[in-house]
Structure formats: C-alpha cells, structure tokens
Amino acid sequence: MEDCVIDIKNISKVFNPGENEVRALNDVSLKIYKGEFVSLMGSSGSGKSTLLNILGCLDQPTSGTYLLDGQEVSGISKSEISLIRNRKFGFVFQSYNLLPKTSALENVELPLLYNSQYSIKARREKAEEALVSVGLKDRIFHKTNELSGGQQQRVAIARALVNEPKVIFADEPTGNLDSKTSYQVMELFQNLNEKGILIVMVSHEPDIVEMSKRKIILHDGKIIEDIEILNPKNAHELFVAADSK
Amino acid sequence: MKVSDLLLSALRSINRNRSRSLLTMLGIIIGVASVIGMLALGNGATQSIKGELGKLGTNLIMVMPGADQQRGVSTDLANVEILKESDVKAILNLSPSVTYISPVVSTKSQAVFGSNNSRPNVTGGYRDYFFINNYEIKYGQLFDERTGKSLQKVCVIGKTVAEDLFENEKDAVGKIIRLDKIPFRIIGVLEEKGQTMGMDGDNIIIAPFRTVQKRLLGLTYLHQIHAATENEDEVDAAVAEIDDVMTNYLKKVSGGEPQFRIATQKEMLDVMGTVLGLLTLLLAAIAGISLLVGGIGIMNIMLVTVTERTREIGLRLAVGAPSNVILLQFLIESVVISLIGGIIGIMLGYTLASIGGSLMDMTAEVTPSSVLMAFGFSFLVGVLFGFFPARKAARLNPIQALRHE
C-alpha cells in the first residue's frame, strides 16, 4: 500500500546471544500508515522500547526486514542511517535529554546543525518557529535548567519537529510529568498528528494512550493486541477540565 | 556541521569548565614555555660565547707543541722545547696564505709603579700579535718594528693594568714600570676588550717577543705560534701550509717525527657550537617530556569529558550526527585546548627567556623556528592525545549513551 510508512516483517532482537540470551523481540511484524498516532504499551521488559528503538533506527534488529517508505533500512551504512534519523525522524525522550546550561533555542537548533543546508540564520529562524509552535515564545533564550519539566519537554518536542520530520518517536514523553502538564504535551502531539506527522509513542499510562489512535500491546517480545481507538480523547478538553478544577 | 560550528562548540565547552580547562592546559603551557625558554637560553649562550671567542679573532691559527710525553715523562706542554723562533721565520717565508704571524711566550708577573702594583699576564710577541688577536691601541703606539726591536724594554698595557697602576690611563704612556724588577717603558694603552669566558682580557701586558723570552723568562724556545690569514676562508689553506712547512722543516732540523698541534679559532668555535647545540637540544628534549606529560593530561580530561557528556553524545547521535562529526568535535576540542595552552606557553616562554637572559647577562633570543616548533608540537599533542577519547565518543551506541546516568 502506498500509504504504508513503516513496514517491519519478522523482526527479532536478541541481546547477549549465547547462554544468557534475552529475546527482546520475537518475530514481530507490523505496518504503520501515514497519519497514524500509535501507542506501544506493555509491561516492563515486554520489548516496547526495543521496538521503538528499532523503528527509530537507533538500533538494528537481529533478524527481519524493515522497509521505511518502501526502502530497505536494515543493512545500510551507519552514515545513511544518521541521515535518515536527521531528515525523517524526530525523537522525544522521557527525561527530555536537553543540553544543560544551554538556551532553549540552541537545543532546538541541534538537529539542524547536522544538516548543512541550513545557514546560521535559517537555523535560528526555524528553531524560533518551532519554539513558538510549542508555545514557548517567551522562553526562547532561557537556559534549560531555568525551565519547568513541562516546558523542558516542550523544548524537546520543538527539537523533534524542527527538521519537519515524517515520524516523531516518543519514549514515555509524559513519564516525568504531572497529569495536567501531560495533557498539554499530548495536545501538542495531537496537533502535530493533525498536520500529518506520524507519531509512535511508548507509554504505560492508559489515560495517555487513550488520546492516541491505535494501541499496540506487547508481551514477552510479541504483539498480543493491536486495536484501533475509535474515539480518541481530546487532550485540549482534558487540559481545560483539569485547569478549571 | 561546519568547522566553525565545531570550533564554537569547543570554545563553549572549554569556557563552561574554565578552571578544569586551564589546569589541563597547564601541562602544555609549562612544556611549551620550557622548550622555548631552554632553546632561547641555549641560543643566547651559544651566541654570546661565539661572540666572545670572535673577539679573540676568528682567523686565528695556533701552533702548539703536541707531545704529551718526553722520554716517558709527562710534561707541561708549554714547557716542551719544540717550537723555535726559526719555525716562525720558516712559516712566514713558505706559507703564502699566512698574513700575520707571531711567536708567543707568556707568563704571569708582578708589575709595579710607585706604590701601586698589579699582577697581569705578560705576553711576548711580534707586532702582528696585536693584529692577530684583535688588540687595538687607544693611547700611544705599537712596537715600531714588526718583530719589536730586539730586547727593547718597552710594553703595551691593557686597561685593567692601566687602571691598577695609574690614576688616569692617559698618563700611562711614557711611564716606566717594573716587571720582575726590570724596568719597562709603556708605549701604548690598549682599547678595552672586556671579559672573555670569565677571564679579564684587559689584565695584560704585551712586550716584544725576545724581551719577554730572554729577559723575563730566560728561554730558548717559545710557547706557541699565533698566525692569522687576511680572510676567514683562507684559514684552511693556511693550516695545510703550516702543517706542511712545520713537518718538513722540523724533520730537517731535528730529525724524527715533529710533535706539534695546530688549532684554529674556527675549529674551537665549531666544537663549542656543537657542544652547546647538543646541550641545548638535550635541555629542550627534557622540556619536551613535560609536553608529553601535558598531552597525557589532556587525554585524561578528554576521557572524563566524554564520559560526562555521554548523554549529550547519545542525543547528538540520535538526532542524526554522523559519528565522524562527533569524532571531529572532540578532536577539535582537545586541539583547541592544547593550542591555547601552546599560545600561552609561547608567551610565557618569551618572558622566561628574557628574565633568564637578563639574570645571566646575555641576550636570550627566541627564534621563530622554536616558536613554530612548539606550536606544531602542541597541535600534534592535541591531535594525538585527543584522538583516543574522541574515537571513544564517536563509537558510543546512541541508546546506551542516552540511558547513561
């Protein structure tokens, strides 16, 4: 199908091959289409993070094939993979992973540093634009340690979307946030998804997952459930409701 | 990522850990400063010694008795009866390259004038002795004949002697002084020569050769023969000629193998230059070891930096930094540290050289080549010792790096 962005077949990932081998993913096949908002769920050790890392090309599967936009990804060179991550993907992590003692702007500029098409000026404009879009217009020059957790995660999201990615991978993006701030972050994700960005998120919070469009549950390295969420909750409404309390 | 971005990020990272960076640089600073300082002082010493020897006349050729044993008994070379005044005549007649020649006898003697006395070196020589050894007359005159009138009791005195014996050195000319109770008339005072390798070149009395040889010393032989050529490039030819003349002449006169030795000032300068050059190099090499140690310091700190910034590296890799750019980033950081250290070290080296130079009373010259060398060396240290930590950073696995606590 033309709209299929991510297509993995029979993916396995084995850590410590040998006696103490850990089979983190066991023969997983999965297709993700354009415009989807996918949540990966599962208990600790179920393989959800490993799957996210493989989908995000941060890790290579032990066996199986991965077609990204119809292109084979497994087995291509490290520098080509770097290029894919830089041009097509955005990453959001649970612990934000911002550079310490550095301004929000510089953090957001980071992915553009590795794209020589951008001049210093263009880099700055893009980064400012991204920060404005996550509602941090007045925090552009603040150092990251001067920002709250929610603000830091929004800087991280701005960093993820600054290079206009096709897919944003989020690993427990609300894991360190209270529920109200979580709704804010999820609202951002929903808005980005509206604009056509594919989002793949790992989360173990059921209420957060209810805001995505598709729920995939893993257990012992296998997909045990893959269901569409028919009426995703609206993060903005939840935020307003929480705010009025 | 452009090199300018990398440079900026390196400077920022150095600035963030200012005291740590400075301490790291200290190894390089000390290393570079001591290399430059040592080379400058070594050069200065070489120059000043060469200058002092040069004052003695660069065209100087000395013929000395060369036997260290006489019938199995070790003797003072100066007292070996090998060289005669007739040898001087023979050289003068048969060696065309030699322009100036003089026999030399020398002793130390008591000089008395009135109630003042002095203890100068007394040398007997021809008038050429002055030209050969670059003595210039300040007051009065030189001997009026080339060989000095036979047994004439006149002398030319150095500045120190003049100051010791007379209130005003101008007054010295025409006065009679006593050398070992023998009266000598002063006919000239020499221009100041200054210290030569710690010896006072002005504490000297020069009198006609035979006067000193016969009257003061009662000798039939002479201590040395001094000769000089018009130009420095004739020295080698002159040496060959003298050697030839002496060998043939002495053989004919006394039979048996002639025992003498020819030394030139040029030779001495060369030997001195080689020795000092080696010494300088040795000192610089020892100083270079501290540069090496400084480099190890850089490597150590860069390893710490890489570990400290593991998460940052993981993040950069995740957002698409190619690993060679990460390698370059940390390599540039270590090179920047060592180059900044190098620059500070060069400045410190200049300071050390000028302080050391003024303490040791000589001009310590920092040569551009030593600066270039120190700079290049610190660059090399940065690259060499930065490479291992940088490679470690570039090889990190992004997932593990991101999880690093």
Side-chain angles (χ1 to χ4, degrees):
Chain A
M1 196 197 281
E2 213 177 293
D3 282 353
C4 182
V5 179
I6 290 169
D7 181 3
I8 56 169
K9 284 195 192 87
N10 312 108
I11 289 280
S12 292
K13 179 72 183 177
V14 181
F15 292 110
N16 305 327
E19 294 216 354
N20 301 323
E21 71 170 32
V22 178
R23 199 163 273 270
L25 287 177
N26 195 355
D27 207 20
V28 174
S29 297
L30 177 67
K31 284 184 177 179
I32 300 175
Y33 301 94
K34 208 175 158 185
E36 282 201 280
F37 188 161
V38 182
S39 295
L40 302 176
M41 288 191 83
S43 55
S44 166
S46 60
K48 57 186 193 298
S49 289
T50 307
L51 181 58
L52 190 81
N53 288 337
I54 287 174
L55 294 179
C57 291
L58 288 168
D59 206 354
Q60 276 74 51
T62 312
S63 63
T65 56
Y66 180 1
L67 295 177
L68 178 71
D69 282 333
Q71 261 192 314
E72 177 67 54
V73 180
S74 36
I76 65 173
S77 77
K78 264 180 108 177
S79 59
E80 280 174 293
I81 286 178
S82 294
L83 204 66
I84 288 173
R85 286 204 297 261
N86 188 248
R87 305 292 151 85
K88 291 194 172 174
F89 295 165
F91 292 92
V92 178
F93 306 96
Q94 180 178 2
S95 46
Y96 328 131
N97 276 318
L98 300 176
L99 301 182
K101 299 180 198 163
T102 311
S103 73
L105 186 72
E106 284 172 86
N107 268 283
V108 176
E109 276 182 351
L110 195 68
L112 303 180
L113 279 178
Y114 301 104
N115 186 342
S116 50
Q117 288 165 11
Y118 289 95
S119 67
I120 295 176
K121 195 162 159 266
R123 225 152 60 194
R124 213 188 139 114
E125 281 167 2
K126 282 295 269 184
E128 278 181 21
E129 205 179 290
L131 278 165
V132 170
S133 76
V134 298
L136 288 175
K137 195 180 174 186
D138 49 349
R139 295 283 188 274
I140 287 175
F141 298 109
H142 282 236
K143 294 274 161 66
T144 49
N145 46 324
E146 297 163 1
L147 299 172
S148 71
Q151 286 167 339
Q152 289 191 47
Q153 193 58 300
R154 279 192 280 162
V155 172
I157 292 169
R159 184 180 63 200
L161 58 88
V162 72
N163 56 346
E164 297 167 4
K166 204 159 189 155
V167 190
I168 288 181
F169 294 97
D171 193 354
E172 308 243 17
T174 59
N176 285 2
L177 304 173
D178 61 51
S179 57
K180 210 176 96 185
T181 332
S182 298
Y183 297 150
Q184 258 184 313
V185 166
M186 287 311 290
E187 188 188 339
L188 275 173
F189 280 135
Q190 283 186 337
N191 291 343
L192 291 171
N193 185 235
E194 293 280 298
K195 289 177 191 157
I197 297 177
L198 176 59
I199 294 171
V200 181
M201 172 181 82
V202 162
S203 182
H204 61 268
E205 295 165 83
D207 60 325
I208 295 294
V209 171
E210 287 306 311
M211 292 174 213
S212 66
K213 293 179 184 169
R214 183 177 170 191
K215 178 163 77 174
I216 295 171
I217 301 175
L218 286 106
H219 184 73
D220 280 346
K222 279 186 177 294
I223 293 176
I224 53 166
E225 223 182 301
D226 183 352
I227 49 170
E228 198 178 339
I229 298 168
L230 293 171
N231 286 310
K233 284 183 182 156
N234 185 306
H236 181 66
E237 284 169 14
L238 283 168
F239 173 69
V240 172
D243 204 32
S244 60
K245 266 182 206 168
Chain B
M1 205 172 186
K2 297 178 191 85
V3 175
S4 58
D5 290 330
L6 289 169
L7 215 62
L8 205 71
S9 118
L11 286 172
R12 232 180 249 167
S13 152
I14 290 165
N15 191 37
R16 260 202 295 271
N17 294 305
R18 238 165 295 163
S19 56
R20 188 165 83 186
S21 304
L22 200 72
L23 285 172
T24 312
M25 282 174 202
L26 210 57
I28 298 291
I29 293 172
I30 292 171
V32 167
S34 46
V35 167
I36 287 195
M38 286 303 172
L39 284 176
L41 288 177
N43 269 331
T46 311
Q47 291 308 322
S48 85
I49 287 172
K50 277 190 174 174
E52 283 187 6
L53 286 175
K55 273 194 263 176
L56 300 176
T58 40
N59 303 345
L60 174 64
I61 302 164
M62 286 171 285
V63 184
M64 293 167 283
D68 51 1
Q69 283 197 332
Q70 281 264 348
R71 297 190 188 104
V73 181
S74 296
T75 45
D76 183 354
L77 283 178
N79 296 327
V80 179
E81 300 181 38
I82 286 179
L83 302 175
K84 301 267 164 46
E85 201 179 354
S86 53
D87 302 336
V88 179
K89 298 258 156 64
I91 292 171
L92 192 60
N93 292 334
L94 297 169
S95 169
S97 301
V98 173
T99 331
Y100 305 106
I101 191 155
S102 167
V104 176
V105 281
S106 49
T107 180
K108 231 169 154 73
S109 177
Q110 182 93 1
V112 181
F113 178 78
S115 57
N116 297 333
N117 75 90
S118 173
R119 197 167 170 77
N121 294 308
V122 178
T123 299
Y126 292 170
R127 192 169 60 184
D128 279 3
Y129 183 82
F130 296 96
F131 308 138
I132 295 167
N133 291 289
N134 287 351
Y135 284 110
E136 295 200 12
I137 205 87
K138 192 173 180 189
Y139 304 111
Q141 59 181 68
L142 292 180
F143 311 149
D144 45 11
E145 280 174 27
R146 184 166 197 182
T147 55
K149 257 186 203 134
S150 200
L151 300 179
Q152 194 184 28
K153 289 176 281 182
V154 294
C155 67
V156 174
I157 63 173
K159 190 176 187 289
T160 309
V161 183
E163 279 170 352
D164 281 350
L165 299 182
F166 304 98
E167 299 250 314
N168 190 332
E169 52 180 323
K170 261 190 228 169
D171 301 339
V173 180
K175 298 279 182 338
I176 309 280
I177 58 170
R178 282 173 185 279
L179 283 178
D180 284 353
K181 293 172 186 156
I182 303 167
F184 279 78
R185 187 164 54 83
I186 297 171
I187 58 168
V189 179
L190 294 169
E191 283 281 2
E192 186 175 357
K193 256 207 153 186
Q195 299 267 325
T196 302
M197 309 226 289
M199 285 195 338
D200 186 359
D202 299 311
N203 189 22
I204 189 167
I205 291 180
I206 302 168
F209 168 68
R210 272 189 221 157
T211 314
V212 178
Q213 188 199 26
K214 305 273 191 263
R215 297 235 171 184
L216 278 181
L217 295 170
L219 295 175
T220 54
Y221 57 91
L222 48 99
H223 294 142
Q224 290 183 353
I225 298 170
H226 283 192
T229 57
E230 194 66 52
N231 298 308
E232 205 178 316
D233 47 4
E234 289 172 307
V235 169
D236 289 339
V239 168
E241 286 166 11
I242 293 170
D243 188 50
D244 206 37
V245 171
M246 292 290 289
T247 310
N248 293 332
Y249 183 78
L250 285 176
K251 238 182 204 158
K252 211 160 65 194
V253 173
S254 58
E257 276 305 300
Q259 291 165 313
F260 66 93
R261 200 156 58 85
I262 301 175
T264 62
Q265 194 75 290
K266 223 170 113 197
E267 218 170 75
M268 280 169 69
L269 275 173
D270 287 349
V271 169
M272 205 63 103
T274 313
V275 169
L276 283 169
L278 272 175
L279 206 68
T280 308
L281 223 61
L282 188 75
L283 286 171
I286 292 169
I289 290 172
S290 65
L291 251 178
L292 209 68
V293 176
I296 294 169
I298 287 188
M299 179 153 79
N300 197 10
I301 279 303
M302 287 310 293
L303 280 172
V304 170
T305 304
V306 168
T307 309
E308 229 179 40
R309 288 162 64 185
T310 298
R311 275 170 78 112
E312 179 196 321
I313 295 162
L315 177 74
R316 284 176 187 273
L317 288 168
V319 301
S323 51
N324 56 3
V325 174
I326 297 288
L327 181 106
L328 210 60
Q329 184 187 346
F330 283 92
L331 205 56
I332 284 179
E333 196 168 319
S334 80
V335 169
V336 166
I337 287 180
S338 64
L339 281 189
I340 292 175
I343 290 168
I344 298 174
I346 288 169
M347 294 191 288
L348 193 70
Y350 262 104
T351 319
L352 277 181
S354 61
I355 291 173
S358 64
L359 278 180
M360 284 182 247
D361 198 27
M362 61 188 191
T363 45
E365 199 189 343
V366 177
T367 57
S369 67
S370 74
V371 170
L372 214 68
M373 198 186 77
F375 203 71
F377 210 66
S378 53
F379 178 81
L380 209 69
V381 162
V383 172
L384 235 59
F385 290 97
F387 183 76
F388 176 61
R391 198 187 57 169
K392 194 184 162 201
R395 284 188 174 179
L396 283 173
N397 174 324
I399 304 163
Q400 279 164 13
L402 280 166
R403 283 203 200 115
H404 184 87
E405 288 305 320

